[in-house]
Amino acid sequence: MNDVANKVNSDAKTVEHHIPQTLPRFSATFDPHTMAEIRRAAATGIYDIRGAGSKRKLPHFDDLLFLGASVSRYPLEGYREKCGTDVVLGTRYAKKPIYLKTPVTIAGMSFGSLSGPAKEALGRGATAAGTSTTTGDGGMTPEERGHSTMLVYQYLPSRYGMNPDDLRKADAIEVVIGQGAKPGGGGMLFGQKITERVAKMRCLPVGVDQRSSCRHPDWTGPDDLEIKIAEIREITDWEKPIYVKIGATRPYFDVALAVKAGADVVVLDGMQGGTAATQEVFIEHVGIPILAAIRPAVKALQDLGVYRNGKNSVQLIVSGGIRNGADVAKAIALGADAVAIGTAALIALGDNEPHLEAEYNKLGTTAGAYDDWHLGQDPAGITTQDPELMKRLDPVAAGHRLANYISVMTMEAQVVARACGKSHLHNLEPEDLVALTVEASAMAKVPLAGTDWIPGVSKY
Amino acid sequence: MESLKYNLDVTPLRELNQFLHSNPSELDGKTIEISNPNGAHNIAVGLKADVNVTIQGHAGYYAAGMNQIAHVVIEGSAGSGVAENMMSGRVHVKGFASNAAGATSQGGLLIIDGDAGLRCAIALKGADVVVGGSVGSFTAFMAQAGNLVVLGNAGDALGDSIYEANIFVRGSVKSLGSDCIEKPMDEERRQILVDLLAKSGHASISPECFKRFGSARTLYNFKVDNAGAY
């Protein structure tokens, strides 16, 4: 229109005056990221694969606030009055439940996706902090078992490296149905990371692209899962807690079925939870944020009479975007017994650090945004199997950083809990929370701040 | 040889399995007979001793699951996942086996005298499996290593996405899965087949009656041109 108007004006040689120009405007729909992805897809003919979890802005714990104590509630003294942080997991059936000093656990990440030194650092850090760490696809390494006081052994669809001797060495067993980054998806580990050691552990040829299955090979559906859990209990003589890990999709029904199948602990992972390698479309478009998943999961436990019901309790661990003590406290206030961190733990080890900016630039990215974890070129030596790169990670120093970070998260959660007058983190409750947005209010089922309105629960 | 008898009508399965997990020094060389199994699940799972266990009837899911060292005979038929993730030893099913027989097994020998259901030897990781009868569809799906011998026929999608495992079939194959092809019977494979026939009580059957199948290896590294195969 402007061009036409200009032409008409200049042709008519009417009064000259300044014609305002519109600013170049990017489409909100076809933003630069979207256009770059269209061009990349057009050039390669293959979907984009990357690591980490959902990167889009989602309703999250930041959309909740604690009310704290005032005249109507009584706070606890910050440094003088105790605020407990311990957690017991696996009380329902296991002869040897897990005792943790902090509700912050380390999520399952495989040797293969992570380097040996990174796995060792996770074990060291978790052990120093009094918490558990978790294996991943590809089996248990001696380094990891050796450096972890409490080690959860994942039982995955691929069964790579699955060994009954390791099952007996584990402190708990986690039957993995899915994860938040890709509920309904299987594992991926590309040729670059299938080194001789990784290949041997997984019984694969060196250098192949490993695309592991999304369904377990020897059971289908919840009735079979019940028999499978019973088999693992029989093999381990009912000693070890059995967790069931699910990606957040239909949390009420999935948690109910996991409890029915005999889980001691349910691990619920939201879409912000990380992955070593998954299609971008899967990460960003399948599954729900953890904020929306906790209350339905807790409701399922309550309806089945296993929520904080003494020995007959099934504990809930939630994960997916847990970053600090406020997130920990909010997850617990919504009903979780513990949380798990993955991406945050890798950052504490040294992932995406600004001092490696020049090297990230060489890989076509920038510190903080690096997510091509599947390519095995991580300059921080964490998501790689390159012997030179992995030398850069000192497992002792990195483990110390992780222990510090978990300690800070735990203390932060205590600060919040004491402010709310709670003598244990587990005494936090939804009543302590309000929401900043209508969306978060509906998802977390706590009132919009300053109102008593919860969309879907009460009338405005 | 000392023989111990357990009657599952009387003794709870938990008590039996706990006994079977005793220190191997107390179990080695013993024979254990289990009567009235009545299709119970998880019988004799997680064994790790040089024992001979006989299940005198039908077993449910995961019989002899994750077996190490032990020799287990199931005189009847077996439910899903018999000898799943076996590491070593030997499991012999005299009747039929249901789905996922020998799934992910890494070592040892699984013998099934009758037919096996769907997904037999799925994700096989190094064990040997010999089936006297026929196998159902999706047999040896993603089989990574080890050997599968089928004296009868195979169903649809045999060896789909197979890695380095060997499949030998005497009868017909309804269809092959993605990336699975017939391969020439070289001397090394012929010897594997001869040995397995001998070990499984089929020494009289000629290896010449079998065709060998394995991976075409076109899906080992992702190529856009193969996208239709996934």
Side-chain angles (χ1 to χ4, degrees):
Chain A
M1 271 312 272
N2 275 332
D3 288 350
V4 176
N6 285 342
K7 193 166 191 312
V8 169
N9 285 345
S10 67
D11 285 356
K13 296 203 176 355
T14 49
V15 195
E16 278 194 24
H17 62 93
H18 178 68
I19 310 261
Q21 296 292 302
T22 58
L23 287 171
R25 182 179 180 186
F26 284 106
S27 162
T29 308
F30 291 92
D31 63 7
H33 181 83
T34 303
M35 289 192 289
E37 172 50 22
I38 291 172
R39 291 182 196 110
R40 196 207 55 77
T44 64
I46 180 74
Y47 41 63
D48 184 31
I49 291 172
R50 67 169 175 86
S54 175
K55 290 190 162 186
R56 64 158 94 198
K57 176 119 179 91
L58 291 163
H60 199 36
F61 295 117
D62 287 339
D63 301 319
L64 303 180
L65 294 173
F66 282 99
L67 288 172
S70 183
V71 183
S72 61
R73 296 285 186 281
Y74 210 66
L76 294 185
E77 292 288 351
Y79 294 96
R80 297 178 193 89
E81 290 177 313
K82 257 194 152 19
C83 175
T85 62
D86 59 310
V87 190
V88 188
L89 301 168
T91 50
R92 188 155 77 138
Y93 295 125
K95 286 183 201 159
K96 296 180 177 172
I98 300 258
Y99 292 85
L100 304 178
K101 286 187 195 158
T102 167
V104 183
T105 67
I106 307 295
M109 289 175 276
S110 76
F111 169 74
S113 70
L114 298 188
S115 66
K119 285 299 282 179
E120 183 184 330
L122 291 174
R124 285 175 179 275
T127 298
T131 191
S132 62
T133 183
T134 312
T135 67
D137 215 351
M140 184 190 287
T141 62
E143 297 99 302
E144 185 174 28
R145 177 62 278 189
H147 291 290
S148 311
T149 303
M150 273 166 292
L151 182 59
V152 182
Y153 186 43
Q154 283 196 332
Y155 188 74
L156 292 124
S158 72
R159 312 277 165 87
Y160 290 132
M162 167 52 223
N163 185 322
D165 290 333
D166 292 336
L167 206 62
R168 295 182 194 104
K169 278 183 213 154
D171 298 293
I173 294 142
E174 183 169 298
V175 178
V176 179
I177 316 292
Q179 66 184 92
K182 47 175 167 181
M188 286 186 182
L189 193 68
F190 291 102
Q192 303 90 316
K193 292 171 87 170
I194 308 275
T195 60
E196 219 158 289
R197 185 178 181 202
V198 174
K200 190 156 183 285
M201 281 180 71
R202 299 184 187 217
C203 191
L204 287 168
V206 175
V208 301
D209 291 344
Q210 172 237 296
R211 289 163 184 269
S212 50
S213 42
C214 60
R215 297 188 301 267
H216 281 261
D218 56 354
W219 62 269
T220 317
D223 294 334
D224 283 8
L225 174 59
E226 188 169 351
I227 306 170
K228 175 50 75 179
I229 289 176
E231 184 202 7
I232 297 170
R233 286 202 195 281
E234 282 296 322
I235 289 173
T236 55
D237 293 326
W238 292 70
E239 284 182 357
K240 300 165 201 306
I242 298 188
Y243 302 5
V244 171
K245 178 173 180 174
I246 54 176
T249 59
R250 298 171 186 85
Y252 181 82
F253 298 106
D254 291 333
V255 169
L257 289 169
V259 170
K260 187 240 164 207
D264 290 307
V265 175
V266 176
V267 182
L268 179 66
D269 189 24
M271 71 183 289
Q272 301 99 323
T275 168
T278 299
Q279 297 92 338
E280 156 93 6
V281 69
F282 211 145
I283 298 172
E284 294 290 359
H285 300 278
V286 184
I288 62 172
I290 193 61
L291 187 71
I294 300 176
R295 297 302 297 274
V298 172
K299 176 81 166 45
L301 298 179
Q302 287 167 332
D303 289 354
L304 291 168
V306 293
Y307 184 68
R308 305 218 177 144
N309 186 20
K311 190 184 176 324
N312 191 35
S313 300
V314 172
Q315 287 81 26
L316 178 68
I317 301 177
V318 304
S319 55
I322 303 281
R323 304 153 298 175
N324 51 45
D327 290 350
V328 176
K330 288 168 186 174
I332 290 173
L334 293 177
D337 293 279
V339 302
I341 56 169
T343 306
L346 298 188
I347 295 167
L349 296 189
D351 174 63
N352 267 298
E353 274 196 12
H355 80 263
L356 296 165
E357 180 62 11
E359 303 213 36
Y360 288 121
N361 291 163
K362 277 188 227 156
L363 298 171
T365 184
T366 183
Y370 176 65
D371 58 16
D372 283 333
W373 298 346
H374 58 296
L375 297 179
Q377 299 166 318
D378 183 2
I382 296 169
T383 60
T384 183
Q385 292 300 320
D386 181 317
E388 288 308 311
L389 291 174
M390 70 171 87
K391 271 186 210 157
R392 296 178 180 183
L393 188 76
D394 174 353
V396 177
H400 190 67
R401 288 195 292 274
L402 177 62
N404 275 344
Y405 169 58
I406 294 173
S407 171
V408 169
M409 289 176 100
T410 310
M411 288 191 291
E412 285 177 344
Q414 285 176 303
V415 166
V416 170
R418 285 196 184 96
C420 296
K422 312 294 180 179
S423 61
H424 197 287
L425 295 182
H426 287 159
N427 295 341
L428 288 164
E429 54 193 324
E431 198 271 334
D432 292 311
L433 292 167
V434 291
L436 283 169
T437 66
V438 175
E439 288 83 354
S441 172
M443 290 178 188
K445 294 188 177 58
V446 299
L448 189 66
T451 77
D452 56 6
W453 181 43
I454 303 173
V457 176
S458 57
K459 291 239 184 255
Y460 187 68
Chain B
M1 193 187 287
E2 194 181 352
S3 180
L4 292 158
K5 293 183 195 315
Y6 275 85
N7 179 351
L8 279 184
D9 269 351
V10 179
T11 307
L13 176 75
R14 179 76 284 271
E15 198 178 304
L16 166 67
N17 281 337
Q18 185 75 54
F19 169 74
L20 292 172
H21 299 163
S22 306
N23 194 317
S25 63
E26 293 165 31
L27 291 172
D28 284 348
K30 286 196 169 67
T31 293
I32 293 126
E33 291 174 2
I34 301 164
S35 58
N36 295 309
N38 297 330
H41 303 307
N42 305 324
I43 302 175
V45 294
L47 302 196
K48 198 186 177 180
D50 185 13
V51 284
N52 290 292
V53 175
T54 305
I55 299 171
Q56 298 169 325
H58 304 307
Y61 278 43
Y62 311 131
M66 304 198 199
N67 188 58
Q68 292 166 286
I69 309 166
H71 284 206
V72 180
V73 176
I74 298 164
E75 292 182 337
S77 292
S80 288
V82 61
E84 65 89 11
N85 213 86
M86 174 163 55
M87 304 298 289
S88 59
R90 179 181 157 126
V91 176
H92 184 174
V93 181
K94 296 204 167 175
F96 298 93
S98 183
N99 299 337
T104 76
S105 284
Q106 299 181 37
L109 173 63
L110 169 62
I111 303 166
I112 298 160
D113 291 346
D115 298 331
L118 304 171
R119 302 186 292 279
C120 179
I122 182 172
L124 191 70
K125 291 172 167 61
D128 297 315
V129 180
V130 180
V131 181
S134 296
V135 293
S137 298
F138 310 110
T139 283
F141 175 68
M142 286 180 86
Q144 296 168 227
N147 303 289
L148 169 69
V149 180
V150 180
L151 275 66
N153 307 318
D156 271 317
L158 177 71
D160 195 293
S161 306
I162 189 170
Y163 291 94
E164 294 298 290
N166 298 305
I167 305 175
F168 306 94
V169 183
R170 183 166 69 155
S172 64
V173 173
K174 199 166 174 203
S175 67
L176 292 173
S178 285
D179 211 32
C180 185
I181 53 169
E182 187 177 342
K183 291 185 150 184
M185 182 77 79
D186 56 21
E187 188 46 39
E188 186 195 338
R189 271 35 175 243
R190 193 176 164 283
Q191 199 51 53
I192 291 172
L193 177 57
V194 168
D195 288 349
L196 285 177
L197 288 170
K199 276 191 204 165
S200 57
H202 300 295
S204 62
I205 295 173
S206 163
E208 314 308 327
C209 316
F210 288 81
K211 285 180 177 169
R212 174 200 161 205
F213 302 90
S215 178
R217 300 175 180 145
T218 59
L219 302 182
Y220 275 18
N221 291 97
F222 189 88
K223 294 183 197 76
V224 170
D225 297 343
N226 290 334
Y230 289 95

